[in-house]
Amino acid sequence: MRKKIAAANWKMNLLQNEGKALINQLLATLPPLSEARQVVIAPPFVQLSQAAQLLSGHAHIHAAAQNCATEQSGAYTGEVSAGMVKDAGAAYVIIGHSERREYYQEDNATLVKKSDIALANGLQVIFCCGEPLSIRDEGTQNNYVETQIREGLFHYDAAQLKNIVIAYEPIWAIGTGRTASAAQAQEMHAHIRSVIAGKFGHDAAADMSILYGGSVKAANAKELFSCPDVDGGLVGGASLVAEEFTGIIDAMVNC
Ligand code: PGA
């Protein structure tokens, strides 16, 4: 089912008591959610169990990890496996965020391993794609993102695809305050949906949730989420402020 999602990516922010306070603030003002209108919160690993426990009595608001290991278990010092993420109570894992691709050299082959192992452990994957500014300036962003999707997702079948959400995050819009215009977002989201349709068929493409990320705020969420192919957002900075993220959740629910 195609669902709208407001997803919070806390990145490497907030201490345990701050994360707890933020979740409790969000829960206090949460509008009615449903299978088709979900909220996802991705704290740092060490707060995953706490977040999952705080959210456990509330339907359709889920904890997520920001990453997982490529391997199931073993001698991989410092890594956290998809099985551990699932065991902590998370429903989703973000794979292929541009910060992981850039700072930790995660290439498409690595991301395939991570998505495979996440799905095998019963997690849903939020698969990130998006172009740097140089590619946008060249005008080749459609091909660039298509290649990321081809190399990251084309080995799945339509059944596996049901457990994947795509997040389009133009790198030039992440944390910069420079948001893609609604027209730019819609154009790329429609392109992504057509790429999915070309490989998996129209039903799978119609079912695919495609989130926009990059300087989403309460003030611009409604305009972005009103685009026909934008199914919500993956939000960094604004997800750390309760009033901002609540505004974004409201926009997601009402669009
Ligand atoms: P931002 O980050 O909302 O701070 O731009 C988005 C993201 O990186 O997911």
PDB file of all heavy atoms in Angstrom, residues 9 11 97 99 169 173-176 213-216 234-238, ligand 1:
ATOM      1  N   ASN A   9      14.991  11.929  11.038  1.00  0.00           N
ATOM      2  CA  ASN A   9      16.361  11.412  11.076  1.00  0.00           C
ATOM      3  C   ASN A   9      17.150  12.301  12.024  1.00  0.00           C
ATOM      4  O   ASN A   9      17.555  13.400  11.652  1.00  0.00           O
ATOM      5  CB  ASN A   9      16.949  11.440   9.656  1.00  0.00           C
ATOM      6  CG  ASN A   9      18.410  11.029   9.628  1.00  0.00           C
ATOM      7  OD1 ASN A   9      18.939  10.521  10.617  1.00  0.00           O
ATOM      8  ND2 ASN A   9      19.065  11.238   8.492  1.00  0.00           N
ATOM      9  N   LYS A  11      20.037  11.903  13.134  1.00  0.00           N
ATOM     10  CA  LYS A  11      21.490  11.889  12.886  1.00  0.00           C
ATOM     11  C   LYS A  11      22.226  11.731  14.220  1.00  0.00           C
ATOM     12  O   LYS A  11      21.727  11.030  15.101  1.00  0.00           O
ATOM     13  CB  LYS A  11      21.916  13.140  12.104  1.00  0.00           C
ATOM     14  CG  LYS A  11      21.065  13.311  10.836  1.00  0.00           C
ATOM     15  CD  LYS A  11      21.579  14.347   9.887  1.00  0.00           C
ATOM     16  CE  LYS A  11      20.649  14.429   8.685  1.00  0.00           C
ATOM     17  NZ  LYS A  11      21.129  15.368   7.665  1.00  0.00           N
ATOM     18  N   HIS A  97      21.942   6.806   3.172  1.00  0.00           N
ATOM     19  CA  HIS A  97      21.899   8.255   3.345  1.00  0.00           C
ATOM     20  C   HIS A  97      23.166   8.862   2.734  1.00  0.00           C
ATOM     21  O   HIS A  97      24.250   8.275   2.816  1.00  0.00           O
ATOM     22  CB  HIS A  97      21.786   8.615   4.828  1.00  0.00           C
ATOM     23  CG  HIS A  97      21.476  10.060   5.031  1.00  0.00           C
ATOM     24  ND1 HIS A  97      22.447  11.030   4.953  1.00  0.00           N
ATOM     25  CD2 HIS A  97      20.313  10.708   5.255  1.00  0.00           C
ATOM     26  CE1 HIS A  97      21.884  12.218   5.133  1.00  0.00           C
ATOM     27  NE2 HIS A  97      20.591  12.048   5.316  1.00  0.00           N
ATOM     28  N   GLU A  99      25.109  11.062   3.696  1.00  0.00           N
ATOM     29  CA  GLU A  99      26.231  11.215   4.640  1.00  0.00           C
ATOM     30  C   GLU A  99      26.970   9.891   4.814  1.00  0.00           C
ATOM     31  O   GLU A  99      28.195   9.865   4.989  1.00  0.00           O
ATOM     32  CB  GLU A  99      25.706  11.762   5.974  1.00  0.00           C
ATOM     33  CG  GLU A  99      25.292  13.220   5.824  1.00  0.00           C
ATOM     34  CD  GLU A  99      24.201  13.685   6.769  1.00  0.00           C
ATOM     35  OE1 GLU A  99      23.902  12.988   7.758  1.00  0.00           O
ATOM     36  OE2 GLU A  99      23.627  14.758   6.505  1.00  0.00           O
ATOM     37  N   GLU A 169      16.705  12.650  -1.722  1.00  0.00           N
ATOM     38  CA  GLU A 169      17.300  13.749  -0.967  1.00  0.00           C
ATOM     39  C   GLU A 169      18.418  14.386  -1.787  1.00  0.00           C
ATOM     40  O   GLU A 169      19.557  13.897  -1.773  1.00  0.00           O
ATOM     41  CB  GLU A 169      17.884  13.228   0.351  1.00  0.00           C
ATOM     42  CG  GLU A 169      16.848  12.580   1.258  1.00  0.00           C
ATOM     43  CD  GLU A 169      17.321  12.551   2.700  1.00  0.00           C
ATOM     44  OE1 GLU A 169      18.400  12.022   2.975  1.00  0.00           O
ATOM     45  OE2 GLU A 169      16.611  13.089   3.545  1.00  0.00           O
ATOM     46  N   ALA A 173      20.466  20.140  -0.930  1.00  0.00           N
ATOM     47  CA  ALA A 173      19.371  20.671  -0.100  1.00  0.00           C
ATOM     48  C   ALA A 173      19.431  20.164   1.339  1.00  0.00           C
ATOM     49  O   ALA A 173      18.617  20.562   2.160  1.00  0.00           O
ATOM     50  CB  ALA A 173      18.023  20.292  -0.720  1.00  0.00           C
ATOM     51  N   ILE A 174      20.393  19.287   1.645  1.00  0.00           N
ATOM     52  CA  ILE A 174      20.436  18.693   2.989  1.00  0.00           C
ATOM     53  C   ILE A 174      21.177  19.607   3.946  1.00  0.00           C
ATOM     54  O   ILE A 174      22.367  19.896   3.743  1.00  0.00           O
ATOM     55  CB  ILE A 174      21.096  17.299   2.964  1.00  0.00           C
ATOM     56  CG1 ILE A 174      20.231  16.320   2.157  1.00  0.00           C
ATOM     57  CG2 ILE A 174      21.303  16.780   4.381  1.00  0.00           C
ATOM     58  CD1 ILE A 174      20.819  14.937   2.046  1.00  0.00           C
ATOM     59  N   GLY A 175      20.464  20.054   4.965  1.00  0.00           N
ATOM     60  CA  GLY A 175      21.084  20.862   6.012  1.00  0.00           C
ATOM     61  C   GLY A 175      21.541  22.228   5.539  1.00  0.00           C
ATOM     62  O   GLY A 175      22.266  22.919   6.246  1.00  0.00           O
ATOM     63  N   THR A 176      21.152  22.622   4.344  1.00  0.00           N
ATOM     64  CA  THR A 176      21.641  23.878   3.771  1.00  0.00           C
ATOM     65  C   THR A 176      20.612  24.998   3.856  1.00  0.00           C
ATOM     66  O   THR A 176      20.924  26.145   3.581  1.00  0.00           O
ATOM     67  CB  THR A 176      21.973  23.686   2.273  1.00  0.00           C
ATOM     68  OG1 THR A 176      20.781  23.231   1.604  1.00  0.00           O
ATOM     69  CG2 THR A 176      23.079  22.671   2.083  1.00  0.00           C
ATOM     70  N   GLY A 213      13.498  14.585   1.007  1.00  0.00           N
ATOM     71  CA  GLY A 213      14.315  15.059   2.123  1.00  0.00           C
ATOM     72  C   GLY A 213      15.237  16.168   1.679  1.00  0.00           C
ATOM     73  O   GLY A 213      15.733  16.171   0.544  1.00  0.00           O
ATOM     74  N   GLY A 214      15.484  17.103   2.576  1.00  0.00           N
ATOM     75  CA  GLY A 214      16.366  18.231   2.269  1.00  0.00           C
ATOM     76  C   GLY A 214      15.709  19.515   2.716  1.00  0.00           C
ATOM     77  O   GLY A 214      14.897  20.085   1.991  1.00  0.00           O
ATOM     78  N   SER A 215      16.049  19.948   3.955  1.00  0.00           N
ATOM     79  CA  SER A 215      15.535  21.199   4.511  1.00  0.00           C
ATOM     80  C   SER A 215      14.013  21.279   4.538  1.00  0.00           C
ATOM     81  O   SER A 215      13.432  22.351   4.317  1.00  0.00           O
ATOM     82  CB  SER A 215      16.145  22.401   3.768  1.00  0.00           C
ATOM     83  OG  SER A 215      17.556  22.397   3.913  1.00  0.00           O
ATOM     84  N   VAL A 216      13.366  20.142   4.803  1.00  0.00           N
ATOM     85  CA  VAL A 216      11.915  20.176   5.038  1.00  0.00           C
ATOM     86  C   VAL A 216      11.668  20.832   6.393  1.00  0.00           C
ATOM     87  O   VAL A 216      12.352  20.527   7.381  1.00  0.00           O
ATOM     88  CB  VAL A 216      11.296  18.757   5.034  1.00  0.00           C
ATOM     89  CG1 VAL A 216       9.811  18.819   5.377  1.00  0.00           C
ATOM     90  CG2 VAL A 216      11.509  18.073   3.685  1.00  0.00           C
ATOM     91  N   LEU A 234      11.623  12.860   4.699  1.00  0.00           N
ATOM     92  CA  LEU A 234      12.670  12.407   5.619  1.00  0.00           C
ATOM     93  C   LEU A 234      13.353  13.680   6.105  1.00  0.00           C
ATOM     94  O   LEU A 234      13.919  14.432   5.303  1.00  0.00           O
ATOM     95  CB  LEU A 234      13.651  11.485   4.890  1.00  0.00           C
ATOM     96  CG  LEU A 234      14.845  10.951   5.700  1.00  0.00           C
ATOM     97  CD1 LEU A 234      14.407  10.220   6.961  1.00  0.00           C
ATOM     98  CD2 LEU A 234      15.689  10.005   4.833  1.00  0.00           C
ATOM     99  N   VAL A 235      13.250  13.919   7.403  1.00  0.00           N
ATOM    100  CA  VAL A 235      13.551  15.242   7.941  1.00  0.00           C
ATOM    101  C   VAL A 235      14.706  15.171   8.929  1.00  0.00           C
ATOM    102  O   VAL A 235      14.656  14.374   9.877  1.00  0.00           O
ATOM    103  CB  VAL A 235      12.296  15.812   8.658  1.00  0.00           C
ATOM    104  CG1 VAL A 235      12.536  17.252   9.089  1.00  0.00           C
ATOM    105  CG2 VAL A 235      11.063  15.697   7.776  1.00  0.00           C
ATOM    106  N   GLY A 236      15.712  15.997   8.730  1.00  0.00           N
ATOM    107  CA  GLY A 236      16.838  16.062   9.655  1.00  0.00           C
ATOM    108  C   GLY A 236      16.641  17.156  10.688  1.00  0.00           C
ATOM    109  O   GLY A 236      15.934  16.975  11.679  1.00  0.00           O
ATOM    110  N   GLY A 237      17.234  18.313  10.450  1.00  0.00           N
ATOM    111  CA  GLY A 237      17.263  19.395  11.439  1.00  0.00           C
ATOM    112  C   GLY A 237      15.917  19.716  12.072  1.00  0.00           C
ATOM    113  O   GLY A 237      15.818  19.832  13.300  1.00  0.00           O
ATOM    114  N   ALA A 238      14.881  19.840  11.257  1.00  0.00           N
ATOM    115  CA  ALA A 238      13.574  20.242  11.799  1.00  0.00           C
ATOM    116  C   ALA A 238      12.929  19.137  12.633  1.00  0.00           C
ATOM    117  O   ALA A 238      11.988  19.409  13.386  1.00  0.00           O
ATOM    118  CB  ALA A 238      12.637  20.664  10.665  1.00  0.00           C
TER     119      ALA A 238
HETATM  120  P1  PGA B   1      17.765  18.209   6.715  1.00  0.00           P
HETATM  121  O1  PGA B   1      18.302  16.687   6.528  1.00  0.00           O
HETATM  122  O2  PGA B   1      16.278  18.106   6.902  1.00  0.00           O
HETATM  123  O3  PGA B   1      18.488  18.718   7.919  1.00  0.00           O
HETATM  124  O4  PGA B   1      18.117  18.920   5.465  1.00  0.00           O
HETATM  125  C1  PGA B   1      17.557  15.770   5.808  1.00  0.00           C
HETATM  126  C2  PGA B   1      18.250  14.432   5.823  1.00  0.00           C
HETATM  127  O5  PGA B   1      19.497  14.413   5.690  1.00  0.00           O
HETATM  128  O6  PGA B   1      17.614  13.375   5.963  1.00  0.00           O
END
